Amino acid sequence: LAQGFGAPRPSRAPQQRASSGRRRMHGAMHRLGVVAGHVVGAPPLRTAPCAALPEVVAKEMAPTGKLRVALNMRNQLLVTGKTAAGEPDGLAPDMARAFAEKLGVPVEFVPYDTAAKLADDAAQDKWDLGMIGADPDRATHINFTAPYCQIEATYAVPTTSGAQKCAEVDKKNVRIATCAGAAYTLWLQRNIKNA
């Protein structure tokens, strides 16, 4: 599963020309990629450095004056606990803090119990940056950078199941349990044909 930085897609009035919206979003994603490159050490979108990083990008990426970062608190690989001050801790919060620091703005965490709710709120202007698995079903309202980490997943099966390889799970009468709305679930819904 590819974990990327996600930014809500801007809503457009019907009379706005699509090409101007694409240019504006391309510019925003370019700047998001530049800042992400500074945070992770390699430009995820293979972009050239942006001379106007602090002020122009900060105003676009954090229009409220603080970077509102959506976190899926259930993903313990990315959010491992809380700091002594009660703030989220782990890979995703640390990257969000570094991202906000590069922008020169404070970070405000917007915690979610599920990735599905986080993704649903992308269209509601509740956050500026989401730390969420990139998935085509979520791309309706979210633009993703290249991944900042890869999370490998597999199936857990009873020893009596007979399945030894992932390909052996997609069979008639096999049931697969997963969390509703998770990127893993979205992938399974597109790819599993028989189980």
Side-chain angles (χ1 to χ4, degrees):
L1 171 67
Q3 287 289 135
F5 294 107
R9 289 184 181 271
S11 58
R12 286 186 308 211
Q15 68 273 14
Q16 241 183 332
R17 287 181 37 215
S19 61
S20 66
R22 279 194 297 272
R23 279 194 304 271
R24 187 173 56 255
M25 183 43 61
H26 174 71
M29 286 308 293
H30 170 78
R31 288 185 286 280
L32 176 62
V34 169
V35 178
H38 285 279
V39 171
V40 298
L45 295 179
R46 295 182 178 88
T47 57
C50 179
L53 182 65
E55 193 173 325
V56 174
V57 177
K59 284 181 181 176
E60 184 159 350
M61 294 305 304
T64 63
K66 58 190 168 193
L67 186 65
R68 301 172 301 163
V69 179
L71 295 173
N72 175 9
M73 302 301 288
R74 285 184 58 189
N75 189 333
Q76 294 184 354
L77 296 171
L78 300 176
V79 181
T80 56
K82 296 199 177 218
T83 65
E87 291 288 315
D89 198 18
L91 175 65
D94 288 349
M95 292 193 68
R97 287 182 190 96
F99 204 110
E101 183 180 328
K102 286 288 181 184
L103 290 173
V105 298
V107 66
E108 176 186 304
F109 293 110
V110 183
Y112 285 89
D113 290 332
T114 67
K117 179 65 175 149
L118 187 159
D120 289 346
D121 277 358
Q124 305 304 316
D125 192 33
K126 294 186 178 181
W127 52 267
D128 305 311
L129 178 72
M131 311 297 254
I132 187 170
D135 185 270
D137 289 349
R138 294 176 176 164
T140 303
H141 297 291
I142 302 172
N143 284 314
F144 292 99
T145 65
Y148 62 85
C149 73
Q150 290 284 122
I151 299 174
E152 292 195 28
T154 191
Y155 299 100
V157 298
T159 56
T160 57
S161 77
Q164 298 295 310
K165 298 178 182 172
C166 290
E168 297 171 352
V169 174
D170 190 11
K171 293 182 178 176
K172 188 175 180 176
N173 296 324
V174 171
R175 291 179 20 189
I176 301 171
T178 184
C179 294
Y184 311 103
T185 305
L186 298 173
W187 185 91
L188 289 167
Q189 288 171 335
R190 283 192 309 276
N191 292 281
I192 296 297
K193 307 298 179 203
N194 301 302

